[in-house]
């Protein structure tokens, strides 16, 4: 979200007043209300844009396999914006997993879908029993605190590289189309006179 110079001026005044309460002139109150309205409008516009992008994703998914590249691009954008993949997305990616981009997206979507399901199930279980306990803050992954708290798990075996195709490689253009030979001019005959 970007603010204009006037909106930043109003925001700065509003923050200063919030830190040091003082009576406001009517003009400042009107400026703050206009700024709040602009922020609400921007939030509403972001919601409309998100709905449009998700509808666009559905259109591309329904047009598969002809819209493969567009679908994969829109799905990546949606995932970056916090979209939880739906079962239809997982089914479409399973059908398309022959390509490297689709296979990578399938793995990513499966992880995200599993997290989403676990979070919903945990939310239902917690809301049914008692209020959610406050979770403790954890260090960022890879930090020293994470090493002390968690014992290292055995490393997972590396996946073997996919076997190269056993088909004959594509022929070179020189094998398919032999080089052209320049025509040799016929020998000149001399006239005897």
């Amino acid at each position: 979200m970007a603010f204009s110079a006037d909106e930043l001026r109003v925001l700065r005044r509003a923050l200063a007043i919030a830190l040091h309460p003082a009576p406001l002139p009517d003009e400042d109150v009107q400026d703050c209300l206009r700024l709040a309205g602009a922020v609400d409008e921007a939030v509403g516009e972001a919601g409309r844009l998100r709905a449009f992008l998700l509808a666009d994703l559905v259109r591309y998914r329904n047009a598969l396999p002809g819209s493969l590249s567009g679908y994969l691009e829109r799905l990546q954008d949606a995932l970056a914006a916090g979209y939880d993949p739906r079962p239809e997305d997982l089914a479409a990616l399973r059908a398309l997993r022959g390509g490297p981009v689709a296979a990578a997206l399938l793995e990513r979507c499966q992880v995200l879908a599993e997290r989403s399901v676990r979070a919903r199930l945990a939310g239902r279980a917690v809301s049914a029993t008692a209020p959610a306990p406050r979770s403790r803050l954890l260090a960022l992954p890879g930090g020293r605190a994470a090493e002390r708290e968690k014992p290292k798990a055995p490393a997972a075996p590396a996946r073997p590289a996919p076997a190269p195709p056993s088909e004959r490689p594509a022929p070179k253009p020189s094998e398919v189309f032999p080089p052209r030979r320049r025509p040799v001019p016929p020998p000149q005959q001399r006239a005897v006179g």
Side-chain angles (χ1 to χ4, degrees):
M1 183 179 299
F3 292 104
S4 70
D6 289 334
E7 290 171 334
L8 283 175
R9 180 181 48 80
V10 171
L11 186 59
R12 185 176 298 145
R13 276 191 314 201
L15 290 173
I17 291 168
L19 291 173
H20 305 287
L24 287 174
D26 289 340
E27 181 182 320
D28 287 347
V29 171
Q30 292 302 320
D31 288 344
C32 289
L33 291 174
R34 276 194 296 275
L35 179 61
V39 169
D40 289 342
E41 184 179 332
V43 168
E45 184 63 29
R48 287 190 292 277
L49 178 62
R50 179 177 167 81
F52 171 77
L53 292 175
L54 292 180
D56 202 26
L57 177 67
V58 170
R59 280 193 296 276
Y60 273 81
R61 184 177 55 230
N62 291 339
L64 285 173
S67 63
L68 175 64
S69 62
Y71 171 70
L72 295 177
E73 181 180 324
R74 277 156 184 79
L75 181 59
Q76 287 174 335
D77 292 343
L79 291 174
Y83 173 72
D84 282 333
R86 297 191 173 129
E88 301 88 32
D89 295 311
L90 294 172
L93 288 172
R94 282 186 191 105
L96 302 169
R97 68 177 159 216
V101 176
L105 270 175
L106 176 60
E107 286 183 31
R108 182 176 173 196
C109 286
Q110 286 174 333
V111 169
L112 292 173
E114 184 177 327
R115 282 184 196 161
S116 176
V117 168
R118 288 181 187 211
R120 280 183 282 175
L121 290 175
R124 286 183 190 158
V126 169
S127 65
T129 59
R134 187 173 183 134
S135 62
R136 62 188 181 99
L137 297 175
L138 300 175
L140 293 175
R144 290 184 179 171
E147 290 176 5
R148 284 182 287 202
E149 291 179 7
K150 292 183 180 179
K152 289 193 175 188
R159 287 187 175 175
S166 61
E167 296 179 22
R168 181 175 165 242
K172 297 177 186 174
S174 62
E175 294 173 347
V176 176
F177 304 105
R180 287 184 147 176
R181 307 253 186 246
R182 289 188 179 172
V184 177
Q188 293 181 349
Q189 296 178 352
R190 293 189 183 173
V192 179

